Every structure is written in C-alpha cells, then in structure tokens.
Amino acid sequence: MLAVKKARRKLRMGTVCSPNPSGTKTSSEVCNADWMASLTPHLHNLPLSNLAIPGSHDSFSYWVDEKSPVGPDQTQAIKRLARISLVKKLMKKWSVTQNLTFREQLEAGIRYFDLRVSSKPGDADQEIYFIHGLFGIKVWDGLMEIDSFLTQHPQEIIFLDFNHFYAMDETHHKCLVLRIQEAFGNKLCPACSVESLTLRTLWEKNCQVLIFYHCPFYKQYPFLWPGKKIPAPWANTTSVCKLILFLETTLSERAPRGSFHVSQAILTPRVKTIARGLVGGLKNTLVHRLALIPVYPLRFSRRS
C-alpha cells in the first residue's frame, strides 16, 4: 500500500531523476520522463497496442479563462447564466480536471492526451483553443510545449487524441492541421497497421507523435489516424463500483486486432452531482473517490 501511495505521488508531481556518478541509471533511478526509452529490450519489438500507456482526461484543462466567453460545448441555458460573474467562477471548479501542465504531465510519464478544441466567437484569425466549458490555452502553445519535451526525449512516443471539435468549419480544421504539421514536422507517424507499430520501428523512423482525428477531415492527411483506431468507451457514471465493472467488461471485449483501446477510468458528474457539490467543485466531489480504485485514475491504452 505504501509503495502504491509513493507511486501515485510521483505521478502527480512529475518525478525528475538524475543519473548516478557512473553515468548510468539504476532501476530505482529510471525517470518517468524517459520510461519508454528505459523499457527492457524484449518490449521494443512488441506492438505498441500491447503496452499499458498512462494518459490523462481533458488533458489541457489545467487552466481555463474565466474572462473568456462560455464555450460552444455548453447549452444556451448555461451561457445565459454565465452572464453572472459568479457563475464562471463556479464553472471553473468543474472545468479544471488537471493540476499539471502538459510539460509536467509528460515528465510524470503521461503519454496519451485527451483533447477537445474549438474556435472562439469573435476571433478573426482562425485561432483554435482547447475547450472544456471555458476556453483554455491556444492549441499552438500546447503543441509547442509538447514538442519541446519530445525534442529533449527522442525515444518517448505520445498519442494526441483530438476527439471533440466545436464551432469549427473546414477553414478551422485546415488551420489546426497546419499547426500540427508546423509543430511536429517529421516526428509525425503516418497512419498504418496498428500491429506493425513498435517502439523500435518508431525509433528507427524518428517518429514520436500519433495524431488521432475524430472527424472525416483525417482522410486528407496521411499523418492523421482515424478516430475508430482508438475507441474510448465511456462509463458515464458517478459510481466507483459501476466504473470498475465497466472497465473490466470493455477491456475484455475490445477488438483483438486493428486498434488501440482507451480505458476511461473517470467518474462523470451528473446535473444533480454538480448541484449538490456546486461550491466544492469536481476535485472535492468526485476525484477523491477514485482513490478507491486499485489502479491509477488515468486513461490508458492497453492490450488485454
């Protein structure tokens, strides 16, 4: 139990390790920031879909802008209520689902990122932002932060799952894809057979980024993987017991070949949940319940 608590604390804080004086790292000194590079050689030729890969939910939502308009992912009723300044402060308590930046998550070992994006009303420059109730940082800023980490850790592989798009037409999509190309360049991995993808093949090609794009627009670019290649069944429950059963069932039923799989180990608030814990927010109302689950409260891609 103590070991589990220590591991969770390291994941939250983003452990940074230094090599010993001999220039090598002992098993206890392997950094979370380089965990893929540190895997034993027999795993290098294993399909990537066979590895358990830690990820985060609403990965970008460590910061949201209370002064921005309410996002297009919200109902008209919420938008009207948000004209009251206090409402946005309460919304922030339910919109922020992470307390680490992209960089800190990467250093902690996170390699799968759940991304929701949107244009912003009134913007004339086609800029795209992360969104979860309220607008977050610009997508470009997030991509550059991720690319900086990858340049310093050339054997780490990441999954960027763009699975929700709001207020975006073809022009917005083209702008977003251009940003992705500009940020990662040759690090982008072209869509291919899931079973053929191993750490070794990616390292040989200097590819580090898999982009999943849940929109027909993916067909126009070879480096955009279709969303169906990474299904993420959603429990949509506030019950820990129901969530565990759902995770066990969906993992056992996943397709044997042809795709990755995301296990969303998250609890989802309902309207009455928010009403009861309005002031306390997401963290105090639901997140602490996940401590009862005997696995990290993270999204991960795994072959059973």
Side-chain angles (χ1 to χ4, degrees):
M1 179 62 72
L2 181 60
V4 171
K5 288 181 179 179
K6 285 182 178 178
R8 282 178 174 165
R9 184 163 61 250
K10 286 181 179 180
L11 277 172
R12 287 197 299 270
M13 297 304 295
T15 303
V16 178
C17 306
S18 300
N20 62 33
S22 67
T24 60
K25 296 176 184 177
T26 65
S27 59
S28 63
E29 292 176 318
V30 172
C31 296
N32 288 333
D34 289 297
W35 70 263
M36 286 182 162
S38 303
L39 290 175
T40 56
H42 79 275
L43 296 177
H44 297 174
N45 294 317
L46 197 68
L48 203 58
S49 56
N50 287 32
L51 301 179
I53 299 173
S56 58
H57 177 67
D58 289 329
S59 310
F60 51 87
S61 60
Y62 48 85
W63 179 85
V64 293
D65 186 4
E66 294 177 46
K67 298 179 181 179
S68 73
V70 173
D73 58 336
Q74 298 299 299
T75 65
Q76 287 300 321
I78 295 296
K79 292 177 182 178
R80 286 194 292 270
L81 280 173
R83 294 170 184 169
I84 305 171
S85 59
L86 177 62
V87 172
K88 284 189 180 180
K89 293 184 181 297
L90 295 175
M91 283 185 68
K92 182 175 181 178
K93 288 178 174 288
W94 290 90
S95 295
V96 172
T97 63
Q98 301 297 331
N99 61 0
L100 299 180
T101 66
F102 279 128
R103 178 81 192 200
E104 290 168 334
Q105 290 180 55
L106 286 161
E107 290 176 345
I110 298 301
R111 295 294 178 267
Y112 168 93
F113 293 90
D114 165 37
L115 307 175
R116 307 177 184 206
V117 297
S118 174
S119 65
K120 184 182 289 187
D123 267 16
D125 57 4
Q126 304 298 322
E127 192 66 68
I128 308 299
Y129 296 80
F130 293 115
I131 184 81
H132 189 222
L134 297 170
F135 285 94
I137 66 172
K138 294 179 180 179
V139 171
W140 173 250
D141 293 337
L143 297 181
M144 292 306 294
E145 186 175 359
I146 292 170
D147 182 65
S148 174
F149 172 87
L150 293 176
T151 299
Q152 296 170 14
H153 303 269
Q155 288 186 294
E156 299 305 298
I157 313 299
I158 65 164
F159 296 69
L160 298 185
D161 191 0
F162 289 86
N163 51 56
H164 286 73
F165 303 92
Y166 299 97
M168 289 179 60
D169 56 24
E170 185 173 349
T171 302
H172 291 114
H173 280 287
K174 287 183 177 179
C175 179
L176 174 56
V177 174
L178 179 61
R179 289 296 205 187
I180 291 171
Q181 284 181 295
E182 290 177 346
F184 300 120
N186 293 333
K187 293 186 180 77
L188 293 167
C189 175
C192 61
S193 164
V194 169
E195 279 67 38
S196 69
L197 211 61
T198 68
L199 286 173
R200 187 172 301 282
T201 58
L202 288 167
W203 291 341
E204 289 174 350
K205 297 176 181 178
N206 296 316
C207 291
Q208 293 181 266
V209 185
L210 280 70
I211 304 289
F212 295 87
Y213 212 79
H214 296 244
C215 171
F217 199 76
Y218 79 86
K219 298 176 182 178
Q220 301 182 32
Y221 297 89
F223 58 84
L224 295 182
W225 292 62
K228 65 182 180 181
K229 290 290 187 179
I230 192 162
W234 174 39
N236 191 18
T237 181
T238 58
S239 166
V240 171
C241 292
K242 289 181 179 179
L243 174 60
I244 293 174
L245 178 60
F246 178 85
L247 293 173
E248 292 174 343
T249 301
T250 53
L251 191 57
S252 66
E253 293 176 348
R254 69 166 293 193
R257 294 179 62 84
S259 70
F260 295 96
H261 177 86
V262 178
S263 289
Q264 297 196 64
I266 56 171
L267 299 175
T268 305
R270 304 180 188 280
V271 173
K272 64 180 181 181
T273 311
I274 297 174
R276 290 171 180 170
L278 191 62
V279 177
L282 182 64
K283 181 177 180 180
N284 294 327
T285 306
L286 284 185
V287 173
H288 288 164
R289 292 189 197 175
L290 288 172
L292 300 176
I293 299 180
V295 294
Y296 297 128
L298 302 168
R299 295 161 62 107
F300 58 93
S301 172
R302 177 177 179 177
R303 173 78 68 186
S304 59

